[in-house]
Amino acid sequence: MDPEISIMFQCPFQAGFTEDMVRVEISPRYNRCILPEYEPQIAAIWENCCRNKPWLFNGSKFRVHSVAMERGVLIFRFGLTCYRDFIGTNWSSQAAYLQQQGQADFEDSQAYLAEPLGVGAMLHTADDYFVFLRRSLHVGEAPGLIDIPGGHPEPKAVARGVPEELINLDDLPEDLVVKELFSSILVEIRDEVNLPLSTLSQPVLLGLARNTTSAGRASAEFYVRCSLIAEQVKQFYLTGGPEAEESTSIVFMKRQELLKLEENRDVWKELCPSAKGGVKLFLLVCEGCS
C-alpha cells in the first residue's frame, strides 16, 4: 500500500453501495474532542492562514467518526466540524502530537482531529476512459498534482436557509444527509468538469480511503458512469465550469492503463492521495463496476 493512503473501509461485495444501502447517524458524540490547551493554537493557525489568504472562509463540514456494516446497511457516524478546525488540526504541524494524545486519552488517534469527510469520483466515460484533473498551483492541497473530481458534502446544502455559522445537528435530517452525500459528488463533477448532470449515472460508493499526508483525513470514493465519450467530456471541460480555476487541464486514462497504474511509478507519483485512494478502491471493487 502506498504510504500516503490507507483503506478505512472497502465495500465487501462487488458493485458497491447504492444510496438506499447507506444510512447516517448524527450525534454530538461524533464531534471532535476538545483539548483545551490546544484550542488557542487552532485560532492562531487560522488567523495566520486568513492573513496570508484573505479569500479563505470557515465553512461547516461533516465530521466522519466511523463507519460500520449492520445487516447489509452501511452506517456513517457523523458529527459537525469546520474548515478552520481542519486547518488547525489535520493540517497542523502538531497533527502527530494530537494523534498521540487521542490514542492515549480515548484509544482513538483521530479524536482531537477535525476529520471533515471528502468525496471523490472515479468518472468513467462511454468509451472506457477515466477522467482526472491536473490541479492548479493556486489550490491549498496538492497543487500541480493529478486528482479525481471531488470535494465535500455540505451541511449548508441540507440545512437550507440556516446561516452556515449557526448550523447545528438538529438542522440535519439524517435521510437528507444521505442524499447530500451521494448528490454532492455529482455536483462536484458538474462544477469541476462542467458536465451536465443528465450525463451522469447515480453514484455507487466503493469505500473510504484515508489521506495520511493530512493525518488520516477520510474521503468517500464513488464510481460514476458518464454517457459521453472522452472527446465530448473534454469539450465541456474546455468551456469552463463554476470551479474551472481549481484545475489547469483534463487527463484521460484508458481502463486497461488504470488497472496497471500502480506499476507505472512515473504516473502514480503524480497522483495526489485522494486520487490514489479512489483508484485503489476502484481496483478492489472494479469487477462489479465494469
Side-chain angles (χ1 to χ4, degrees), residues 7 29 50 61 78 83 105 148 150 158-159 161 164 171 175-177 181 190-191 199 243 257 271 275:
I7 301 302
R29 301 193 308 275
C50 290
K61 305 296 177 190
F78 280 162
Y83 188 65
D105 295 345
I148 54 177
V158 178
E164 191 162 4
D171 300 316
D175 59 333
L176 296 185
V177 174
L181 177 62
R190 180 196 68 192
D191 292 350
T199 67
E243 296 180 4
E257 183 183 356
L271 299 187

Side-chain angles (χ1 to χ4, degrees), residues 19-91:
E19 184 176 327
D20 62 311
M21 300 167 68
V22 174
R23 190 159 65 83
V24 164
E25 290 180 1
I26 297 184
S27 169
R29 301 193 308 275
Y30 306 138
N31 287 348
R32 176 177 69 89
C33 295
I34 302 299
L35 188 62
E37 61 266 33
Y38 187 74
E39 292 304 297
Q41 272 281 92
I42 295 176
I45 290 170
W46 179 247
E47 183 178 344
N48 184 59
C49 282
C50 290
R51 188 161 44 244
N52 295 328
K53 299 177 179 179
W55 59 86
L56 290 178
F57 65 95
N58 183 26
S60 64
K61 305 296 177 190
F62 292 105
R63 181 181 190 271
V64 60
H65 173 275
S66 56
V67 293
M69 282 283 292
E70 293 184 9
R71 296 185 293 276
V73 174
L74 181 63
I75 299 173
F76 282 79
R77 297 190 174 102
F78 280 162
L80 269 180
T81 188
C82 62
Y83 188 65
R84 165 190 176 273
D85 290 0
F86 171 58
I87 295 297
T89 60
N90 288 76
W91 267 109

Side-chain angles (χ1 to χ4, degrees), residues 67-232:
V67 293
M69 282 283 292
E70 293 184 9
R71 296 185 293 276
V73 174
L74 181 63
I75 299 173
F76 282 79
R77 297 190 174 102
F78 280 162
L80 269 180
T81 188
C82 62
Y83 188 65
R84 165 190 176 273
D85 290 0
F86 171 58
I87 295 297
T89 60
N90 288 76
W91 267 109
S92 167
S93 62
Q94 299 298 307
Y97 162 74
L98 293 174
Q99 288 181 300
Q100 292 168 0
Q101 285 296 115
Q103 190 64 40
D105 295 345
F106 301 101
E107 297 186 346
D108 177 4
S109 64
Q110 309 305 101
Y112 291 124
L113 302 181
E115 295 288 274
L117 180 69
V119 292
M122 296 299 295
L123 179 60
H124 195 180
T125 68
D127 54 345
D128 210 25
Y129 284 89
F130 285 84
V131 178
F132 294 81
L133 300 172
R134 175 78 68 176
R135 290 175 65 79
S136 165
L137 294 175
H138 304 295
V139 296
E141 290 186 62
L145 295 182
I146 296 172
D147 202 359
I148 54 177
H152 306 86
E154 301 287 356
K156 66 183 180 183
V158 178
R160 295 187 181 278
V162 180
E164 191 162 4
E165 67 276 9
L166 299 179
I167 293 174
N168 62 56
L169 297 175
D170 293 335
D171 300 316
L172 302 170
E174 293 173 348
D175 59 333
L176 296 185
V177 174
V178 173
K179 287 186 177 300
E180 168 59 12
L181 177 62
F182 277 76
S183 64
S184 63
I185 189 56
L186 299 179
V187 170
E188 295 292 349
I189 294 170
R190 180 196 68 192
D191 292 350
E192 293 184 2
V193 192
N194 198 35
L195 295 181
L197 293 177
S198 60
T199 67
L200 304 177
S201 71
Q202 288 303 303
V204 173
L205 177 65
L206 303 175
L208 288 88
R210 288 195 179 278
N211 178 351
T212 61
T213 70
S214 57
R217 180 264 190 97
S219 181
E221 308 296 356
F222 293 87
Y223 173 81
V224 178
R225 294 286 313 212
C226 178
S227 61
L228 305 176
I229 64 172
E231 183 59 32
Q232 291 172 311

